[in-house]
Amino acid sequence: MRGRGGIGRRWGLKILCHWRAGSSPAARTSILRLTIGTFLALSAAACGRRADVGPVVVSVIGTEPHVAGRDRSDLSSGDRLLTDSVAEGLVRFDAVGQIEAGIAERWIVIDDGRSYIFRLRNAVWSDGTPVRARDIVPLLKRQIARATNNRIAPYLTAVSSVVEMTPEVIEIELARPRPDLLKLFAQPEMALVRTGTPGGAGPFRRREATRDGILLTPAPDPDRDPDEERPAPEQNVLLHGERAAKAILRFIERHSDLVTGGTLDDWPVLQAANPAPANVRVDPAAGLFGLAIVRRDGFLAEAVNRGAIAQAIDRADLTGSISAEWPARETILPEQLDAAAPPMVPDWATLAPEQRPAAARARVAAWRAAHGAAPVVRLALPDGAGGTILWGHLARDLYAIGVRPVRVRHDDPDADLRLLDLVAPYDNARWYLAEACVACAPEAKAAIEAARLADTLPQRAAATALADRLLTQDVAFVPLSRPLRWSLVALRLRQWQPNPRAWHPLNRLRTDPN
């Protein structure tokens, strides 16, 4: 190895994943080709512990983060983490995914969730000028506008006005009650970055970007004596964005403290590396993991046929083969949340698991007899190793009922079903239903829209429950589980906590050495 975090020569590694007897030829063996650096040394290094000295070195899986810019239309995972680090919103997430103060030091919610009043703390922008309400109001208006393509903008349409009350106080008024608004405002997409500045109001300042990563140092606190501001090196963060194999190897060789942003697609790489179990952490992530119906023609034109696809999948076998911490799911909503009724259970789920394949096979046989050929279903899945494992399970189960599956790229416009793997930004039933409704029936779309426009919380709850029932009966989405999100965490990061948002702010990783 040469230098800090060097990866050395690259090797090709094949992993054979054997499937149970009776599976299709296409699914019996998945050969996962992983381009990773010298895996031969991983086992020997896995039990090491990184000393609690120097900056916290973080690898986020994905591309190298670039800027915390104003355009929030398509932030990568690295850019989201960088934006959250150098720019705060009115509020932000703490280590356990709960709301804590950001630029606003305190707030009140009045009028049954129709008005939020925020008092700003004494903060400065990255260029040293004070943060004032007159700066914040236009930034918030821009981010809330749907024209920005902000991924959470569709859930902010109830906001009717953002006004400056005093230089330190902002009021956000809503046309409809939204008592759960704060978790949306804590998202990195709502971090406040002023035009012409390299960041926002903290909690970090971006100092330099080199081959070793982006160095972040704690933002100065204007309420403290500058002579007392002497942050220890351990309070700094060195941020990388890189592919999973390189990030995992960097961690196992004790050149980093945290790998974050792991998904199912990277999970086989993690398993092949075999890190120390104490370092592997899985978030109880809330959200959607399943197959959205994106084309409703041919075999998928009828709800009963879409139901045959849904009931053919052995969810327990799929999730159990990956991790005991990854539960199977058969409903769109994980729990009742703010709906007026518990999650709607699909009709096919009333059958015993051992009876479901036979019922699905009978439905496919009837369609084949009427059309003279087996139905073909195109599945759009991620390209990585985890996507290959998922494909093996799905292909086996679909072949078993007489459906011929075809794997296509995740962005293929001709796909019939596409994997949705999304962490919920907040605990709201309408978010689940709206995201699952990629190509659903008009009645379900109308009910989701009625939930958005409801004037009272009881009306909203009733419309949400109706939308859940209609969407489930339409079989517009095939739930499989919740999102799988994992991290590698060094023992020095004592503040790191698993949480439903699967979000881990860089200023909430380790105990302040001072």
Side-chain angles (χ1 to χ4, degrees):
M1 310 303 296
R2 293 184 179 180
R4 178 178 177 83
I7 300 304
R9 296 181 62 193
R10 296 180 179 177
W11 299 81
L13 178 65
K14 293 183 179 179
I15 302 171
L16 301 182
C17 302
H18 298 284
W19 307 92
R20 70 188 185 193
S23 60
S24 70
R28 285 177 185 160
T29 306
S30 291
I31 301 178
L32 313 178
R33 297 184 179 274
L34 312 175
T35 303
I36 56 180
T38 323
F39 260 90
L40 299 177
L42 295 183
S43 297
C47 295
R49 177 181 298 190
R50 181 167 161 81
D52 191 10
V53 295
V56 174
V57 182
V58 177
S59 292
V60 56
I61 295 176
T63 58
E64 188 75 32
H66 295 292
V67 295
R70 288 163 53 86
D71 183 6
R72 303 295 196 277
S73 61
D74 189 23
L75 288 181
S76 69
S77 56
D79 288 335
R80 292 185 83 234
L81 194 56
L82 177 60
T83 299
D84 182 74
S85 301
V86 300
E88 297 182 311
L90 292 171
V91 294
R92 57 187 291 113
F93 288 123
D94 64 11
V96 295
Q98 297 300 313
I99 297 299
E100 69 173 2
I103 286 182
E105 63 180 356
R106 59 182 182 272
W107 54 89
I108 59 172
V109 182
I110 59 176
D111 195 17
D112 295 326
R114 294 176 186 264
S115 177
Y116 287 72
I117 299 176
F118 298 89
R119 174 169 288 279
L120 306 182
R121 65 177 173 85
N122 184 19
V124 295
W125 297 107
S126 57
D127 62 1
T129 59
V131 174
R132 294 290 183 262
R134 64 175 179 270
D135 305 320
I136 302 300
V137 168
L139 295 179
L140 284 174
K141 287 181 177 179
R142 178 188 57 81
Q143 290 169 319
I144 292 169
R146 298 191 67 168
T148 64
N149 294 321
N150 183 332
R151 72 183 183 99
I152 62 174
Y155 305 100
L156 296 171
T157 57
V159 176
S160 59
S161 68
V162 181
V163 298
E164 174 188 355
M165 299 181 72
T166 74
E168 293 81 28
V169 178
I170 290 171
E171 181 179 18
I172 298 178
E173 294 183 318
L174 293 88
R176 297 171 291 276
R178 292 291 185 270
D180 46 15
L181 188 71
L182 289 178
K183 287 183 179 178
L184 288 176
F185 274 84
Q187 298 294 320
E189 288 80 1
M190 296 301 292
L192 300 164
V193 180
R194 198 171 54 157
T195 305
T197 62
F204 289 100
R205 295 284 188 262
R206 176 174 176 163
R207 294 306 181 194
E208 60 186 61
T210 68
R211 291 182 60 185
D212 287 331
I214 298 173
L215 180 64
L216 305 174
T217 62
D221 185 346
D223 291 329
R224 280 188 176 182
D225 185 340
D227 293 336
E228 298 178 4
E229 291 269 342
R230 303 187 187 280
E234 289 73 24
Q235 293 177 276
N236 297 337
V237 172
L238 191 61
L239 179 63
H240 302 268
E242 52 196 0
R243 58 193 175 89
K246 186 175 181 180
I248 294 168
L249 184 59
R250 187 191 299 275
F251 183 92
I252 291 178
E253 292 187 332
R254 302 192 299 280
H255 292 304
S256 71
D257 302 284
L258 175 66
V259 177
T260 189
T263 68
L264 172 66
D265 217 29
D266 317 308
W267 183 261
V269 185
L270 179 71
Q271 296 298 94
N274 192 29
N279 297 129
V280 179
R281 310 293 292 274
V282 177
D283 281 298
L288 288 171
F289 185 91
L291 301 172
I293 308 296
V294 294
R295 293 174 66 95
R296 297 165 66 100
D297 54 17
F299 181 72
L300 297 178
E302 299 180 55
V304 66
N305 294 340
R306 299 191 291 271
I309 298 291
Q311 67 183 307
I313 300 170
D314 189 341
R315 291 162 177 77
D317 183 62
L318 166 63
T319 59
S321 70
I322 301 297
S323 171
E325 298 180 73
W326 198 35
R329 181 188 296 166
E330 297 177 344
T331 60
I332 300 174
L333 298 182
E335 53 186 302
Q336 185 167 336
L337 300 175
D338 57 341
M344 181 70 181
V345 176
D347 291 340
W348 56 263
T350 60
L351 293 174
E354 61 273 13
Q355 296 175 323
R356 295 174 189 175
R361 198 158 39 243
R363 181 60 201 170
V364 174
W367 192 90
R368 180 169 186 168
H371 294 79
V376 177
V377 175
R378 295 178 292 274
L379 303 177
L381 304 174
D383 296 330
T388 298
I389 289 181
L390 179 60
W391 161 249
H393 281 269
L394 297 177
R396 176 202 65 196
D397 293 341
L398 294 180
Y399 270 118
I401 65 169
V403 171
R404 185 164 71 86
V406 176
R407 182 178 180 177
V408 299
R409 293 182 61 86
H410 194 255
D411 58 356
D412 192 314
D414 295 323
D416 298 307
L417 297 96
R418 179 172 290 114
L419 180 71
L420 292 188
D421 184 3
L422 304 172
V423 175
Y426 66 143
D427 302 314
N428 177 269
R430 188 176 71 86
W431 177 88
Y432 285 85
L433 302 173
E435 295 294 335
C437 178
V438 176
C440 62
E443 296 81 6
K445 290 182 180 180
I448 295 171
E449 181 67 1
R452 183 181 74 87
L453 297 175
D455 288 329
T456 67
L457 294 179
Q459 290 174 352
R460 182 186 183 193
T464 300
L466 174 61
D468 182 33
R469 177 170 63 82
L470 293 174
L471 194 64
T472 301
Q473 292 172 344
D474 187 50
V475 197
F477 183 77
V478 180
L480 298 176
S481 183
R482 68 187 183 197
L484 180 66
R485 295 293 183 269
W486 60 266
S487 301
L488 283 173
V489 185
L491 299 184
R492 73 186 289 210
L493 305 186
R494 297 179 181 89
Q495 279 197 337
W496 191 100
Q497 294 291 328
N499 65 77
R501 302 279 81 82
W503 188 252
H504 305 286
L506 298 186
N507 65 322
R508 292 289 182 263
L509 295 178
R510 63 183 305 278
T511 304
D512 190 333
N514 297 323

